[in-house]
Amino acid sequence: MKSNPTLTFYNQNAQHFSDSTLQVDMSALYREFLPNIPANGHILDAGCGSARDAAYFKQQGFCVSAFDASEELAALASQHLQQTVEVKTFQQLDSVNQYHGIWCCASLLHVPKDELPAVFINLQNALKPDGVLYVSFKYGTSERFDNGREFTDLDEDGLNDLIHACPKLSLIKHWQSADQRPGREHEIWLNALIKAASDK
């Protein structure tokens, strides 16, 4: 993300954002994702924010890498995770065949819609064969500006279009869920688990 309002928002509000997300209960999503990852497997928390999820994965014995586009958030996340969180965007992700799992929780939704296909190819390339990708978007079909940030909303059709454009990715399942933050329960999320093809 170049100089843009979303990045400015997170750099200016990093501490508040981190504090407001660290205690959110994500256990239902962990139960969907983690059984797909081998013991001690390597998980990338992509767009990690506070590193809440990366820290949990690390506690469970997984090898964890993390990045965030916001320098301020990455600095806070590095402290929380007790390892370096890279400052990087999805567009800059150039790993190949590296991760058993990639976790994109409420992070891809800030990628402009016309850049999502290339980003999904980057994610596909970064996964090992049989690797699993988790993504979540606010449910809808619009690109919008809200509370100082740019959002790309996605529904099942939009998600399927992205997956079908990636030759090695296939959908395991998708489902809707309510926001877990107090007062945000009316916000609906689209979640999906996506698998990379085996190396056969």
Side-chain angles (χ1 to χ4, degrees):
M1 287 186 285
K2 304 178 280 293
S3 169
N4 71 25
T6 304
L7 208 46
T8 301
F9 174 92
Y10 284 113
N11 281 328
Q12 291 177 348
N13 297 279
Q15 189 69 59
H16 173 74
F17 177 80
S18 181
D19 293 346
S20 70
T21 56
L22 273 175
Q23 303 306 318
V24 178
D25 179 11
M26 305 299 286
S27 54
L29 296 178
Y30 298 155
R31 285 195 296 271
E32 296 282 355
F33 177 68
L34 291 177
N36 298 284
I37 311 299
N40 311 120
H42 193 176
I43 297 174
L44 173 65
D45 190 347
C48 68
S50 63
R52 168 198 62 210
D53 303 327
Y56 178 82
F57 301 151
K58 194 173 176 179
Q59 286 166 1
Q60 305 309 304
F62 295 101
C63 172
V64 171
S65 298
F67 71 77
D68 199 274
S70 160
E71 286 181 39
E72 300 295 330
L73 269 178
L76 292 171
S78 297
Q79 293 171 17
H80 183 63
L81 189 58
Q82 297 184 319
Q83 70 183 60
T84 299
V85 170
E86 285 188 273
V87 179
K88 185 159 64 176
T89 67
F90 283 102
Q91 292 87 338
Q92 293 168 323
L93 176 64
D94 57 2
S95 308
V96 175
N97 196 17
Q98 194 164 345
Y99 304 105
H100 297 97
I102 302 179
W103 177 262
C104 303
C105 183
S107 51
L108 285 167
L109 47 72
H110 293 310
V111 176
K113 198 164 220 163
D114 63 352
E115 295 178 28
L116 275 172
V119 163
F120 262 66
I121 292 288
N122 289 353
L123 293 166
Q124 167 189 270
N125 293 343
L127 281 169
K128 289 178 175 290
D130 293 316
V132 171
L133 168 67
Y134 166 76
V135 303
S136 62
F137 290 85
K138 294 193 179 191
Y139 192 83
T141 56
S142 58
E143 283 192 272
R144 59 195 169 83
F145 190 78
D146 182 40
N147 189 24
R149 291 168 291 171
E150 292 165 321
F151 289 93
T152 298
D153 299 336
L154 221 57
D155 63 4
E156 293 88 352
D157 289 341
L159 178 69
N160 283 326
D161 288 346
L162 287 169
I163 296 169
H164 290 153
C166 296
K168 295 182 183 173
L169 295 184
S170 58
L171 182 70
I172 300 173
K173 66 180 289 193
H174 57 60
W175 70 100
Q176 295 178 25
S177 62
D179 200 300
Q180 293 300 304
R181 291 167 293 181
R184 307 281 284 271
E185 297 84 358
H186 65 286
E187 294 187 18
I188 301 301
W189 289 81
L190 174 68
N191 308 271
L193 288 174
I194 301 160
K195 187 165 187 168
S198 10
D199 208 8
K200 300 185 179 77

